[in-house]
Amino acid sequence: MTTCKKAVTEVAARNIILVGFMGTGKSAVGKELAETYGWNFIDSDTEIERTEGRTIPEIFAEKGEAYFRLCEEMVLRKLTTGNRQVISTGGGSVLLEANREAMLEGGFVVELQASVETIVSRVARDRNRPLLQGDPVERVNTLMEARKNAYRFAHYAIDTDLMRVVDIAAAVRKEYERFSAE
Ligand code: S3P
């Protein structure tokens, strides 16, 4: 007979949801994980761009960040009700409590961490991240400081500095399987 705890865990472990600051490798790790499990890989930013018919920089420029956050909330609410998906989320999605709750209800939440140096080296010339335009070192430092506790709600966190994508994915798999078996 399925116990209550087991039933809750089964529901909770439907998806793997990757959170973390911009440039921590959520998409690369997410694709690797999805391939291993034969699950769908979904990037919440790509979903927002698809539903809005515009790029993220266009949405920020034409409608503003608050509108983008509304789109993000709606997309995450929908995605987290699905199954067998690896979902890569935008770095700021964790700022809204409703999103954090939807993620925790929708699956196993993993925070990918990286140092300021690693992130800056990855995003320095990126034109697709509106919040990092200007001086990337200043922008990354300021946003990371402001968000330093925002990812703590995740079930599991991993420092990805110096790790290969396949090794990060393997570590996440191990934790996810342990979590699902509890
Ligand atoms: C954002 C992160 C971006 C994207 C948007 C805002 C943020 O996603 O959602 O530019 O507030 O950190 P990535 O984390 O995939 O870069």
Side-chain angles (χ1 to χ4, degrees), residues 20-23 26-27 43 45 48 56 60 65 68-69 72 88-93 95 128-131 143 147 151:
F21 200 82
M22 294 173 264
K26 291 166 289 187
S27 297
D43 183 312
D45 283 340
I48 294 168
I56 301 293
F60 269 73
E65 181 174 349
F68 169 78
R69 297 296 172 202
E72 188 170 53
S88 169
T89 63
S93 60
L95 299 174
N128 291 317
R129 290 180 167 113
L131 297 181
L143 281 172
R147 296 177 179 177
Y151 302 99

